[in-house]
Amino acid sequence: MIAAILEWLRSSDTWSGDSGLGARIIEHLWYSLLAVALASLIAIPLGLWVGHTGRARWLVSVANSLRAVPTLGLLFAMALWLGPKIQSDLAFLIPSIIVLVILVIPPILSGVYAGVEAVDPATRDAARGMGMRGLEVVRQVEIPNALPLILSGLRSAFLQVIATATVAAYIGLGGLGRYLIDGIKTGDYVSTAGGAVVVSVLALLVDGLLALVQRAVVSPGLTVDSTRASRTRSRRRGMSAVDAEVASNGEPSRSEPVLPETNRRIPS
């Protein structure tokens, strides 16, 4: 099977034409980018407002509860409800995009809210003491300090939407989901598996690209400060220093060992 998948990926017939792999990848990315862009227009301002004011925090909980909604079932319901009301090809596109937007709002909203809410209150007070008003504090203080978590939420959103945009093929749209749906229907399991591999690789490539963007735009000092804050909060909850580092970074730190009982650093 692996050899057959590799041969399918290398074949010129696979990549040629309007329904070739190159065209399907572009369609898939278009659906994903459109969904994340629309979700960002909703979730980022809302997350900034909730995190800045501390009001309506229940909206974040409601958004996170949307993760439990079955995507495919919601897609069929949306298509049956909106499809007959739209007299164009948009009858297939609009329900799919709405479902994908609902899917990616929670990670974006949670990332923005958590980033803004975690800004040190002393930093906000200092900004206000310098004469900054509400929007100036948000724009010049809270957003720059919250940027690591904001970008992490966007990365999570892209991973989810790229992996899930395949469902659009169920109601007649294109994208990489065509290989999965059509392959299963016709018994062509090589193209089905090949399409799944391409979706996985595409998600990883986009996540890697966004990781490079995050590294380029986020100040190293913010990353260090957020890691230390995460370790401190986790130790207060009873976690070890190494577990806290793994929770924040994904790997233990070897450069700054901490004595677990004394909170003193080993002298260099």
Side-chain angles (χ1 to χ4, degrees):
M1 174 66 79
I2 294 178
I5 294 173
L6 292 175
E7 181 63 29
W8 180 80
L9 290 172
R10 288 196 298 261
S11 174
S12 59
D13 294 336
T14 302
W15 292 85
S16 61
D18 294 336
S19 59
L21 187 56
R24 294 304 187 194
I25 291 175
I26 292 174
E27 290 174 343
H28 202 88
L29 287 174
W30 163 241
Y31 301 151
S32 302
L33 287 171
L34 181 59
V36 172
L38 293 176
S40 298
L41 291 176
I42 300 170
I44 291 179
L46 186 59
L48 291 174
W49 177 74
V50 174
H52 177 73
T53 64
R55 302 174 184 172
R57 291 175 178 166
W58 56 270
L59 289 173
V60 181
S61 299
V62 171
N64 285 327
S65 68
L66 296 176
R67 299 173 188 261
V69 176
T71 305
L72 190 57
L74 181 61
L75 175 63
F76 287 148
M78 197 67 67
L80 291 173
W81 177 48
L82 289 178
K85 301 178 181 180
I86 304 173
Q87 303 300 322
S88 68
D89 292 340
L90 294 177
F92 302 103
L93 179 62
I94 291 177
S96 299
I97 296 301
I98 290 176
V99 170
L100 294 177
V101 167
I102 292 174
L103 172 72
V104 296
I105 280 179
I108 298 175
L109 178 60
S110 298
V112 175
Y113 162 72
V116 174
E117 196 270 339
V119 174
D120 191 345
T123 305
R124 293 193 183 95
D125 292 340
R128 293 189 180 99
M130 295 174 62
M132 292 186 184
R133 302 298 181 182
L135 289 179
E136 291 177 324
V137 173
V138 172
R139 186 175 63 253
Q140 300 182 35
V141 177
E142 292 179 342
I143 291 179
N145 281 276
L147 202 55
L149 288 178
I150 293 175
L151 293 177
S152 295
L154 287 171
R155 287 175 60 185
S156 177
F158 268 106
L159 279 175
Q160 292 186 32
V161 75
I162 289 175
T164 313
T166 53
V167 300
Y170 277 99
I171 60 172
L173 288 182
L176 294 171
R178 287 259 59 94
Y179 293 108
L180 280 67
I181 305 303
D182 297 341
I184 293 175
K185 185 182 298 183
T186 61
D188 185 1
Y189 299 113
V190 172
S191 64
T192 301
V197 168
V198 174
V199 171
S200 302
V201 172
L202 183 63
L204 291 175
L205 288 175
V206 171
D207 185 62
L209 178 62
L210 292 176
L212 293 176
V213 172
Q214 182 172 352
R215 178 175 295 184
V217 301
V218 175
S219 170
L222 288 177
T223 304
V224 172
D225 290 343
S226 62
T227 300
R228 290 173 177 170
S230 177
R231 290 205 302 266
T232 301
R233 289 193 299 268
S234 300
R235 284 200 298 272
R236 288 173 180 172
R237 298 188 186 106
M239 295 175 62
S240 68
V242 173
D243 290 338
E245 180 73 23
V246 171
S248 61
N249 262 358
E251 60 181 13
S253 173
R254 296 179 177 83
S255 60
E256 295 183 347
V258 178
L259 294 175
E261 295 182 358
T262 62
N263 281 337
R264 292 180 297 177
R265 301 190 183 280
I266 295 176
S268 56

